[in-house]
Structures are given as C-alpha cells and as structure tokens.
Amino acid sequence: MMQNESVTSAEEQEKWLAEGIAGLQQSAFYMHRALDSNNLRDALKYSAQMLTELRTSRLSPHKYYELYMRAFDELRKLEIFFVEETRRGCTIIDLYELVQHSGNILPRLYLLCTVGSVYIKSKEAPAKDVLKDLVEMSRGIQHPIRGLFLRSYLSQVSRDKLPDVGSDYEGDGGTVMDAVEFVLQNFTEMNKLWVRMQHQGPIREKEKREKERKELRDLVGKNLHVLSQIEGVDLDLYKDTVLPRILEQVVNCKDEIAQYYLMDCIIQVFPDDYHLQTLETLLSACPQLQPTVDIKTVMSQLMERLSNYAALSPEVMPEFLQVEAFTKLSNAIVRVIEVQPDMPLVGAISLHVSLLTFTLRVHPDRLDHVDQVLGACVKKLSGKGKVDDSRATKQIVALLTAPLEKYSDVMTALKLTNYPRVMEHLDYETNKQMAAVIIQSVMKNNTCISTADKVEALFELIKGLIKETAGSPSADE
C-alpha cells in the first residue's frame, strides 16, 4: 500500500512539475516577444505571470528547484533587458518603482531583486541601502520553501555586488560591515524558514519533512560560504561579529538538523587559523546544542581539521601552545559529556579517541596529555566494570592502540599510568587480544626491556595472555 502511495505521489509530482514548466514557458514566450520589441510594460506583465508559477505549494523541494532554475534562467535575460532599458532613457529609480506595482508579492519580490541587482550596478544608490531594502522586503514571504528559494535568489544576484574591501561598491556604497550585516540577516531569516518546515504538517510525515529539509540545507549553508569569501572578514571581524552571530542563531534555533549541519558548515568553510584563534567561542556552543545532535562527529571533525592544519603547517605550532588548544578541547569534551548524561558510552569514548589522535599528532612529545586523555576515560568507565558494548570496546581498543602505533615503543606506553587502568575495563577476550597486540609491538620493534621494573609493568599489561597459559579462564571462574 505504502509503495503504491509513493508511486502515485511521484507521478503526481511529475505531473505538477510538467504543468508548472508549461505555464512558465508559455509566459516566458510572451515575455521574450516583449523583450524583442522593447515593450517594458508587457515584459513586466508576462515576467510576473511567469513567476506566479513559483507560488505553488504542491511540489517537493527537489521538483520546486527544477522549476525555480527555469525561472532563474529567464530572469537573467530580463536583467540584461533592464540594463538596456536604462541605456534607452528609463531611469533605474523608475524601474525600481515600476516593478513594485506587480499584483502578487512573490513575483514582485523576484522582480525587485532583479532590478535591485541592476540598481546596485548603476551606483545611483549606495549598495548597502538597496541590499537592506531587499533583505527586509523579502520578509513578506513566510512560506518556508518559497521563502528559501526567494532568499537564495537574492543571495545569488547580490554576491558580486557586496560593499567588500577592494570591491567597486566599497566607500559610497557601504563598508564591509554592511556586507556582513546583509549576509547575516539573510542567513538568519533563511534558517528560521528552514527550521519552521519541521513543525508544519502531521507528525506521521516527520520522516518525509526531515528528508525534504536535508534537500534544502545547502541553500542555508551557502550564506556561510559567502561570508567566508568576503575579503574584509579578517580575524577580528570574524571573532567579534561573524562567529558570535552565527552561533547565536545555531544555538537559539534549538533544532537538531540545523545545529548539526550548521556546526559542520562553520568547521568546513572558515579558515583553520580562524578556528584556532576562536576555539573557546566555537567550543562553548557545543554543550548548548540539543542532546540529540551528533556532537561527537562535529567535534571530531574540528579536531581532525586542526591536527591536519598542524601537520601541514609546522610553523603554526607555537599558536597551538599559545591558545592552549588541547586544554580547551579537553574541557569542552568534559562539559559535553556532563550535559548529556544519556550519551552512549561509545560516544564518550570516541570523543576521547579523537582528542588522543589530536594530541598524538599535534603534541607527540606531551605524554602527560596522552595520560590525561586515558585518565578521563578511566573516570568515565569507573563503576562500570567490564565493558559489554562491542562498539564501545572497539573504541577502547582504538584508544589503547594509538600510542603503540605512534611511538612504536611499548616502553612509552608503560610510562602512562592510566594505560593499564583502561585495559582493566576490557572483557577477557578483548584484553587477551590487546595483550597480543602489545607483544607483537615488542617483537616488531625489537624493544629492549632493560630493568626488572619494566618487565614487571609489561607482564601486568599482558597478564591476560599469561593467565591463559596457566589455564586461568576456567580457574578464574
């Protein structure tokens, strides 16, 4: 039954899209005739008629996008016509006024954005004023899908006209702060529309809504990409304005899908050195996210980016020490685990595995850091006895194996006081396997064990194997 419904729904979507495209193409045909004969009134009449097809509420985001792209291509032709009209004596201010007489608000706003693009290019008004006007008027569309695509169009037509440092529109057209304010405002409104989709329609369609939202996420994330490309966004502006404003929206929207996606976007689009210098601010948002957000993946990706940055640019190492990156990451992990008491054990351990990987790559000489991470795991595991969750066990093995692989020397692992304490939480079989890994490391690296104390410490680590030779599994039971 469900399969038939989805087939019917897919057929209906194709039918509705075909109807929308047919209506759009018919109006576009008459618009082209008006453009060819330089008939401004008819060009506006038929372009508005064409854009009414975007008022539909029946299409899925994927199908709506197809319709939108056809309208987008037609609007490019219309924009060229508007430029030519200004050369023929029609003032851009008259054009800007004229399109505001379009009957329905959605076509009117698309036309306004198109003329607005020409208006900014003409420099007859400061770019910042036109941008402010457009971003605020776009509030007139509160339907999530229609609003997201309209604002995406505004972002697209304005991105090369921002009053950025060194651009043609800086100075009289505004400052980099005006550019940042415009993009942040558009981002905030788009995120609100995107989150609102989650709360529309019946509960039984929750899964469908989440799938549709994921199809639209790049429209929202594109704003962060635009911010990262603004030349004038230096570290100070990013630290004082851009990052706090983005994080304010991320935290306040209280939406799992948006929070996970936007945190990932921040980590991916902004430069590594900015992350390093704003680590505390970025990490402070993590404990404030919804408990259902996959925070371990977000934080792991951040640590991976930073450790890659350190590996590729050794000259930045002093900065890592200066900002106390390890301490900040370690404290943030503790806070996240504290505020999420229901976090599965595997999640908590995998966060520590990421931190250990980070410190082994960035500060390999700091054994105290390695032991601190192991100690935090011991604390998390205390009172839990042997771990019986296979996924958590796998992470513990990864935690114990990492120092052996990094240092190629069991003697280094023996200096870690918390190493055997972590091993104690492995079940009998896994403990035995881990002991075998340690023995293999000794043999592979021809490790010389020079003192009786070290031999004793090594035997303590591999006692799982020794007990087995003594026939201990049954004896222990």
Side-chain angles (χ1 to χ4, degrees), residues 183-455:
V183 181
L184 281 172
Q185 200 174 333
N186 204 36
F187 159 70
T188 301
E189 293 301 324
M190 284 180 84
N191 193 47
K192 286 177 182 172
L193 290 167
W194 187 46
V195 169
R196 191 179 303 152
M197 282 180 73
Q198 191 67 26
H199 310 290
Q200 295 189 338
I203 292 171
R204 68 175 182 277
E205 291 182 359
K206 180 173 179 276
E207 207 172 301
K208 180 188 166 205
R209 277 198 304 278
E210 288 181 355
K211 179 178 175 288
E212 289 184 343
R213 284 191 62 205
K214 283 173 182 170
E215 288 173 5
L216 291 168
R217 63 189 181 182
D218 288 348
L219 296 182
V220 184
K222 208 178 282 179
N223 290 286
L224 302 189
H225 181 71
V226 171
L227 282 168
S228 74
Q229 299 299 304
I230 295 177
E231 288 289 332
V233 175
D234 58 13
L235 178 59
D236 287 338
L237 185 50
Y238 178 75
K239 187 191 287 187
D240 298 338
T241 305
V242 175
L243 183 62
R245 287 275 296 279
I246 296 171
L247 289 177
E248 179 187 17
Q249 182 57 33
V250 171
V251 171
N252 290 346
C253 76
K254 298 190 184 320
D255 177 85
E256 175 194 348
I257 293 173
Q259 289 181 337
Y260 176 77
Y261 172 69
L262 294 172
M263 288 297 284
D264 183 50
C265 265
I266 294 167
I267 292 164
Q268 299 305 331
V269 304
F270 290 105
D272 297 323
D273 56 323
Y274 284 21
H275 292 325
L276 191 57
Q277 297 298 334
T278 57
L279 204 47
E280 200 151 3
T281 308
L282 184 55
L283 291 170
S284 68
C286 294
Q288 300 179 64
L289 303 180
Q290 297 301 99
T292 45
V293 172
D294 180 10
I295 193 64
K296 70 176 189 304
T297 302
V298 171
M299 293 182 78
S300 296
Q301 284 169 342
L302 174 62
M303 287 184 265
E304 188 179 353
R305 264 207 78 161
L306 290 174
S307 54
N308 286 340
Y309 177 47
L312 294 169
S313 316
E315 70 278 4
V316 301
M317 284 306 303
E319 288 179 41
F320 277 83
L321 296 168
Q322 189 187 343
V323 303
E324 298 179 327
F326 172 80
T327 304
K328 284 173 181 168
L329 287 164
S330 182
N331 292 342
I333 287 170
V334 169
R335 281 198 301 274
V336 164
I337 293 170
E338 276 174 4
V339 299
Q340 293 196 13
D342 297 331
M343 180 188 281
L345 185 60
V346 61
I349 303 295
S350 64
L351 273 172
H352 287 111
V353 171
S354 296
L355 181 60
L356 185 68
T357 306
F358 169 83
T359 197
L360 287 172
R361 288 187 71 188
V362 179
H363 308 293
D365 54 324
R366 294 294 299 266
L367 277 182
D368 55 326
H369 284 177
V370 178
D371 211 26
Q372 188 181 324
V373 178
L374 294 173
C377 277
V378 171
K379 191 176 173 188
K380 181 67 187 170
L381 293 165
S382 67
K384 290 188 168 55
K386 304 292 184 192
V387 175
D388 56 3
D389 175 348
S390 62
R391 293 180 311 146
T393 300
K394 195 175 174 184
Q395 289 299 316
I396 295 171
V397 169
L399 195 76
L400 292 167
T401 308
L404 296 177
E405 289 178 348
K406 178 67 183 178
Y407 299 116
S408 305
D409 179 12
V410 170
M411 291 302 98
T412 307
L414 293 178
K415 292 175 189 169
L416 303 167
T417 56
N418 288 305
Y419 197 94
R421 294 167 69 194
V422 174
M423 270 189 83
E424 282 170 15
H425 290 280
L426 291 173
D427 61 71
Y428 182 78
E429 276 304 313
T430 314
N431 194 305
K432 195 171 72 175
Q433 288 163 17
M434 195 64 227
V437 169
I438 292 167
I439 292 292
Q440 283 161 9
S441 174
V442 171
M443 293 166 69
K444 181 183 166 189
N445 298 298
N446 294 321
T447 307
C448 174
I449 304 165
S450 53
T451 68
D453 285 352
K454 287 178 182 174
V455 172

Side-chain angles (χ1 to χ4, degrees), residues 96 113 116-117 120 126-139 150-164 173-190 222-224 226-227 230 233 237 241-242 245:
Y96 200 64
C113 290
S117 171
I120 295 170
K128 62 175 183 178
D129 293 348
V130 181
L131 291 170
K132 190 167 188 280
D133 203 24
L134 294 173
V135 81
E136 286 180 357
M137 281 201 276
S138 295
R139 282 202 176 112
L150 171 67
R151 286 185 176 276
S152 179
Y153 179 70
L154 171 58
S155 176
Q156 188 73 23
V157 298
S158 63
R159 63 185 302 172
D160 60 341
K161 301 172 188 72
L162 301 175
D164 189 7
T175 66
V176 69
M177 273 306 296
D178 296 310
V180 165
E181 188 56 46
F182 165 75
V183 181
L184 281 172
Q185 200 174 333
N186 204 36
F187 159 70
T188 301
E189 293 301 324
M190 284 180 84
K222 208 178 282 179
N223 290 286
L224 302 189
V226 171
L227 282 168
I230 295 177
V233 175
L237 185 50
T241 305
V242 175
R245 287 275 296 279

Side-chain angles (χ1 to χ4, degrees), residues 12 221 311 318:
E12 281 180 337

